[in-house]
Amino acid sequence: MTSLRKLAYAAALAVCGLGAAGLPAEAQVKSATLDAVKKRGELNCGVDTGIPGFAFQDSAGKWKGLDVAYCRAIAAAVLGDAEKVKYVGVTTKVRFTVLQSGEIDVLIRDSTLTFTRDTQLNLSPIAVNFYAGQAFMVKKSLKVASSKELNGATICMLTGATLELNIADYGAANGIKINSLLFDKPEEAFAAAEAGRCDGYSDDSGSVAAARSTMKTPDDWMILPEIISKEPLGIFAREGDEKWGDILKWTHMILLTAEEMGVTKANADQIKASKPVDPFMQRLLGIDEDFGKPLGLDGDWSYRIIQAVGNYGEIYDEYFGPKALGLPRGTNNLWTKGGLQYALPLR
Amino acid sequence: MALADTAVLIARQPAPRQQKRGSFRAFAWQGLFLCALALFAWFVIANASDNLAARNMNFGFAFLSQRTGFDIPFHIVPWSTADSYGRALWVCLLNTLLAAAIGIVLGSLLGFLLGVMRLSANWLARSLSLAIIEIVRNTPQLLQIIFWYVVMIQALPPPRNGLALPGGMILSVRGLNMPSIEMGAAGLWPFLLLVAALCLVPVFRGLRRRHRAFGWAAPLLPAIALMLVLLSVDHLDYPTLRGFNYVGGVVVPPELIALVGGLSLYMSAFVAEIVRASLQGIARGQREAASSLGLSGAQALFLVILPQALRVMIPQLTNQYLNLTKSTSLGAAIAYPELVQIYAGTVLNQTGRALETMFLVMIIFLGINLAISGFMAWYNARVAIVER
């Protein structure tokens, strides 16, 4: 018994010793991307060239959208200013090459996180900021109620995405043949669908809602109930810079945690002033000064994120809510409300 | 021993000093240039492979045998989603070649017509040709193709009220649906025979001209082959509306029509100018001589002027053909599945092999265009004036 205790003691000592040896290295955060961004004083953020909801420019040329809010959040955390972002609009075709070559620091462009992209493109899937699935939009006049009735139909969509593969798989699984017509740019695909060149349009559920909003008479179009694939859309970084990946990942977690704990852009200051004792709240609001150290940031980084963009729910409402595209939260709700968005603890 | 003797002989000959020094210098410069080029190539390749290695990527074509899993909406050879990336390359190469071939033929014919009209004595024909040429050649080609595509899909009726054309053809926004010829048990053999017969016609015509045996076959051979084709046709498959679309027959998609129309119209404007310049380049006396012999205007054009003008035209035409072939890549903008759309788009994205796919597309275009210019050079040599 005692010998076992001794052994455990020795083992504990050894672990602590190792831990102690590891400490100095850990304290000094090494991230080439973080250094480059700080030196440049600007975050190069790869976003969509223009899709309502995710990334688009308003009439004044200002970038808006869910993905854009993430760019702003990262800039606020790293550079202390949400405005210090250079938006690089990238097409489906070039997005990964642009990221691989280092022209952008992070890719947040409604891109699906997949096996191939992780293992063969050597990209780092960071987090899912939008759960979507491929959906179909058809003209009401076709009198189709389900995507299983689309045998022989031609569907317009964008090239260079997972869409074509999903459609082929879905057709094969259901014993039907759905033809796809592939376009480079959304506008061309919309125009072709509108002109009747295809029977419908297909994209991720969020984008289909966006597409419907751009049609001449959105009421002529209906979105079919089936979601034929899983499309976890999210953040990609280059592989090989773990620390940078950590910053991106925890930016997402801060947005979720803030919503979970009821912290909004509006009430953050008020809650901070009330000196909360909850350690999670202390970290979230920058009261715990050491919270940023493991990331190579200061303690205020998470507080700045909330100040700049609010919490996840606020962002979603702004771009997908009833006043915008009218897409129900569904799977994008917090786990506590029946959704899939689940933040890791700020422990 | 013989080699040594030759060497002595060469050494004994009084070499023209000036020329020798010049050739050595030229040789040295060329060698130096070659070295520099090799160094540069080595640098580029080493740099690229370093960069690839730094990103844990490798260069290779093993992906060509992988299953694709995507649909190619228009294909002239069978295609299914279970086929490989290598097969996809073949399918979209054929799509590219089809567009280029039709574009070149149509563009040449239209260009020739416009060029002759441009020199016509008729004011209307001359002005019309001028207007078409100036509008077409002074606006961007991509814009024209998108314009034709948009106009076409906006103007054509939906599939359910497609326009019925003679011969069982139906025109709708989904394209031109035509009846297809379904062959009987003999399959494609009669067609191959017909092609072979057509290829052999010049040979038999030569025999006939020299009054040799089998000369009779020149006109009869293709006729017999055509009879064979007609006899082995089983039935015509007419397109019929079922569900969303037409089934049966063959369909020419609007993307192909817009692409080929746009490309050939664009090229025809340039061809027209080439034709006009070449015809004007033929000495006036030729035409006068032709008319003094009693030849009509058309006869003079086709028998005297054109054969001479052709020699001037061919090198310029070659350039136009090469341009048109390269421009088929604009089809990607209007959803025509050609090499660039499928390979530099879908395949690049599915596999992440940017370098390899771009390399393949470039090599293929280089190959096609070298073949075209090779053929045109051969033809040029054939029609060139034999100087003695």
Side-chain angles (χ1 to χ4, degrees), chain A residues 15 17 34 42 49 65 70 127 136 140 144 167 178 236 258 275 283 315 320 336:
Chain A
V15 168
L34 177 63
E42 195 174 49
T49 48
Y70 270 72
F136 294 97
K140 280 180 185 161
V144 171
I167 289 232
I178 301 175
F236 277 107
K275 303 226 160 51
R283 284 171 194 148
I315 304 172
F320 292 97
T336 45

Side-chain angles (χ1 to χ4, degrees), chain A residues 100 121 159 164 180 182 197 199, chain B residues 73 174 255 335 341 346 352:
Chain A
Q100 283 166 338
L121 301 193
T159 183
E164 307 158 52
S180 47
L182 307 170
R197 173 63 186 98
D199 298 296
Chain B
R174 299 302 165 82
E255 289 79 30
Q341 196 207 21
T346 309

